[in-house]
Amino acid sequence: MSETVPGSFSPASWIASQVPPVPHLSFSNVTDRAPESVAAWQAAVRTRFAAILGGFPPTPSPLHARSLAEPVIVGGAYRREEIAFESREGLPVFAYFLTPLSGPGPFPCMVCFHGHGYGVNAVVGLDEAGAPLPEPDYHHSFAVQAVERGYAVLAIEILGFGRRIWGTNCQIPSGAALMLGQTMAGWRAYDGMRAIDYALTRPEVDGNRIAAMGISGGGLNTLFLAALDERIKAAMVSGFLNEFSSSVMSIDHCIDNFMPGLRLDLEMSDIAGAVAPRGLWCENGERDPIFPVAAFRRAIDETAKVYDALGCPERLHGHVFDDEHRFDGVGCWEFLAGLV
């Protein structure tokens, strides 16, 4: 966390002094690293993490899933369908469902989460108005990359963006969540769980081969969902894994990144450790200004201790590329193909 300027009234140093060096549930506090003890630690992490996020409904409500328009064939390669389902009673979710036109089904499924911007259109190669993008933005249309590699893709619009916006950005619903004792991260994580529920209703999807992928705020959604929902067999997190004190606690980030009391109990690497032994690929730009690469490397090293304890170090990979904050994906497809 950044230091105060001498003689200034900045609270940065004081806030840094309030952050415990080691969170209460940190894996570094686990002395018995036998597989059954690691599994017990992971269960404790999931329970506490879910509570910090605001908890989840005890019983899922009906999905009320429906198609919104006739499917479109894109480039003779895949079908794009607009669908909707309800994650909670009265809370609709917009999504695109993409399926390859070649190859035998059912297909492995990739649940895709966009980052901050104009919404889910960006990951399926469309601009805000629904026209083809003349050139990709920082998402690099990764949902299209997935379907072109043989995945059925469910790309959902994250609450607070695109068609699901309230106000001009996600600030109002994120603040409302906190006032209700909930968190935007928790609401979005549950949207992801219900997205899996929806994917399992599709005959095109192999329910035993579900993965997740996202960048930036979508990387948060991907990491949190994979930690909480073991139906995710592998996850690709771009531009998010870091240390809380080095990123969202000391660099200007949207309010949707914040969860009351989280850093007292868990570091980001502990949440990532809850994914093990399932596959986890994480990447970060060498010059990412909002998720510093040095903290990314430290987070990977800490997460690796959980994978090492479970005897599967090859199922975790940290990739650094020479750029700023964007989706890269080099190497991740080969990694995921061996796990999903």
Side-chain angles (χ1 to χ4, degrees):
M1 189 172 291
S2 60
E3 298 180 355
T4 59
V5 176
S8 78
F9 290 92
S10 169
S13 291
W14 177 83
I15 293 173
S17 73
Q18 305 304 298
V19 180
V22 179
H24 174 65
L25 276 177
S26 172
F27 188 67
S28 62
N29 292 331
V30 178
T31 55
D32 179 1
R33 298 193 174 181
E36 57 272 17
S37 298
V38 175
W41 170 80
Q42 290 177 312
V45 167
R46 291 189 191 102
T47 298
R48 180 60 184 143
F49 186 39
I52 291 170
L53 290 175
F56 304 116
T59 304
S61 60
L63 286 168
H64 297 305
R66 60 196 185 277
S67 179
L68 299 177
E70 285 296 316
V72 175
I73 304 302
V74 182
Y78 64 91
R79 178 183 292 104
R80 185 178 68 226
E81 183 181 352
E82 297 180 13
I83 63 98
F85 62 88
E86 290 189 2
S87 61
R88 304 171 192 246
E89 194 68 42
L91 182 62
V93 178
F94 175 86
Y96 288 106
F97 186 70
L98 316 179
T99 48
L101 293 180
S102 62
F107 303 99
C109 182
M110 185 69 73
V111 183
C112 291
F113 299 96
H114 62 87
H116 283 62
Y118 59 85
V120 68
N121 281 20
V123 301
V124 297
L126 300 175
D127 66 16
E128 192 169 4
L133 280 171
E135 58 183 43
D137 71 352
Y138 80 105
H139 295 87
H140 283 265
S141 303
F142 62 78
V144 176
Q145 294 189 48
V147 72
E148 289 177 342
R149 287 169 170 81
Y151 291 90
V153 173
L154 182 59
I156 77 170
E157 190 122 69
I158 293 173
L159 186 58
F161 292 100
R163 300 157 186 83
R164 305 181 75 201
I165 201 166
W166 178 17
T168 58
N169 54 41
C170 64
Q171 171 114 348
I172 295 174
S174 297
L178 295 173
M179 293 293 282
L180 294 170
Q182 302 282 308
T183 64
M184 177 58 82
W187 287 352
R188 290 173 176 167
Y190 193 66
D191 279 357
M193 295 175 191
R194 300 313 310 280
I196 297 173
D197 291 343
Y198 171 78
L200 293 175
T201 71
R202 299 290 303 226
E204 303 94 331
V205 168
D206 182 343
N208 294 312
R209 303 170 67 195
I210 297 179
M213 172 177 284
I215 181 170
S216 195
L220 177 153
N221 298 330
T222 300
L223 180 63
F224 289 9
L225 177 63
L228 292 163
D229 196 323
E230 295 180 85
R231 293 177 295 179
I232 297 292
K233 298 298 188 267
M236 190 283 196
V237 177
S238 179
F240 179 72
L241 184 70
N242 216 262
E243 296 169 331
F244 288 121
S245 59
S246 298
S247 55
V248 300
M249 292 179 67
S250 59
I251 296 170
D252 190 13
H253 280 265
C254 178
I255 191 174
D256 61 1
N257 285 282
F258 298 91
M259 293 134 272
L262 178 57
R263 181 51 181 79
L264 298 176
D265 286 331
L266 297 166
E267 183 50 272
M268 219 182 285
S269 57
D270 298 314
I271 298 168
V275 180
R278 292 165 291 137
L280 181 60
W281 173 286
C282 300
E283 67 175 19
N284 206 90
E286 183 75 48
R287 292 172 279 112
D288 192 322
I290 55 176
F291 292 100
V293 70
F296 168 77
R297 289 190 169 104
R298 291 192 296 269
I300 285 289
D301 289 345
E302 289 300 310
T303 305
K305 294 175 182 177
V306 184
Y307 279 81
D308 290 344
L310 292 176
C312 54
E314 75 284 356
R315 293 187 180 179
L316 172 70
H317 188 84
H319 170 60
V320 174
F321 56 92
D322 184 22
D323 208 337
E324 298 185 0
H325 189 66
R326 66 164 177 84
F327 182 93
D328 185 64
V330 173
C332 82
W333 302 107
E334 294 79 5
F335 175 85
L336 293 169
L339 297 167
V340 182

